[in-house]
């Protein structure tokens, strides 16, 4: 009797472990955030999707040097941004955030996969967050890994990510 109970208990534990493993293999992200991806995350994702491998040390070093040059040039040409309180996010963290302008986003993330100003398309991209984003969004930029950047005429007003993947 005791052995039978232990066997059934073990089977239940095994089943729970299997279910937990399946849940871990399936990842779903649906979020609205103030800070989006970093330049390195986006660049690494692009290289991996284009070449099927992660970038080498040399490629990464070369890319970081080129990014440093682009950021320094931008800050030299825009002293008002260079002295802004949130410049560290752009310059040092190299991460996009609400309030950044289009040029900063393109320096950090490169060109978007898709740009749309169609309200119906933006609603699809924003998903459940559309009622909150709608009042200010005039344009949406789509990036790899489910990142969507919503802009007014010039600045980022919202950032979302939707990613449903199975590993």
């Amino acid at each position: 009797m005791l052995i039978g109970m232990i066997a059934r208990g073990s089977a239940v534990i095994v089943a729970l472990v299997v279910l937990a493993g399946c849940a871990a293999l399936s990842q779903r992200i649906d979020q609205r955030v103030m800070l989006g991806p970093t330049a390195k995350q986006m660049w690494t994702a692009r290289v991996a999707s284009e070449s099927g491998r992660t970038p080498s040390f040399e490629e990464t070093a070369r890319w970081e040097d080129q990014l440093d040059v682009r950021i320094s040039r931008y800050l030299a040409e825009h002293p008002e941004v260079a002295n802004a309180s949130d410049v560290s996010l752009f310059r040092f963290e190299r991460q996009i955030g609400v309030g950044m302008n289009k040029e900063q986003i393109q320096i950090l993330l490169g060109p978007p996969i898709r740009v749309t100003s169609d309200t119906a398309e933006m609603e699809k991209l924003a998903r459940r967050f559309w009622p909150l984003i709608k009042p200010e969004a005039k344009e949406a930029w789509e990036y790899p890994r489910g990142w969507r950047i919503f802009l007014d005429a010039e600045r980022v007003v919202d950032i979302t990510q939707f990613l449903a993947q199975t590993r």
Side-chain angles (χ1 to χ4, degrees):
M1 180 91 161
L2 181 59
I3 293 173
M5 288 175 51
I6 291 173
R8 280 192 295 273
S10 296
V12 169
I13 290 172
V14 168
L16 290 174
V17 169
V18 168
L19 287 174
C22 289
L25 289 175
S26 174
Q27 180 184 24
R28 181 185 166 109
I29 299 170
D30 191 4
Q31 63 181 342
R32 180 177 179 230
V33 296
M34 297 294 288
L35 300 175
T38 65
K40 188 169 187 175
Q41 289 169 335
M42 195 56 53
W43 178 73
T44 302
R46 283 184 194 257
V47 170
S49 71
E50 292 169 4
S51 66
R53 62 173 179 76
T54 58
S56 69
F57 176 80
E58 292 80 16
E59 290 169 322
T60 302
R62 189 172 338 114
W63 172 81
E64 286 177 350
D65 289 344
Q66 292 169 351
L67 183 59
D68 281 339
V69 168
R70 290 194 310 269
I71 290 172
S72 295
R73 185 179 309 132
Y74 175 81
L75 293 174
E77 293 170 359
H78 299 87
E80 71 284 358
V81 175
N83 296 321
S85 61
D86 60 352
V87 72
S88 66
L89 185 64
F90 175 67
R91 184 178 200 170
F92 301 113
E93 301 297 323
R94 298 172 175 186
Q95 185 173 20
I96 65 157
V98 171
M100 284 188 174
N101 66 44
K102 290 180 176 183
E103 190 174 357
Q104 290 173 309
I105 301 306
Q106 289 214 347
I107 288 169
L108 293 178
L109 303 185
I113 296 170
R114 182 170 66 130
V115 174
T116 185
S117 57
D118 179 70
T119 306
E121 285 299 311
M122 288 193 298
E123 182 175 4
K124 287 178 190 172
L125 291 173
R127 301 175 58 84
R128 66 187 174 107
F129 303 113
W130 183 241
L132 301 168
I133 296 171
K134 181 181 179 178
E136 295 184 73
K138 305 292 181 243
E139 187 173 69
W141 292 7
E142 191 172 2
Y143 282 92
R145 302 212 24 93
W147 288 104
R148 287 81 186 256
I149 314 300
F150 297 89
L151 304 107
D152 61 11
E154 183 59 29
R155 300 210 172 270
V156 175
V157 295
D158 227 299
I159 303 168
T160 67
Q161 183 185 30
F162 176 74
L163 184 63
Q165 69 178 29
T166 302
R167 295 182 199 167

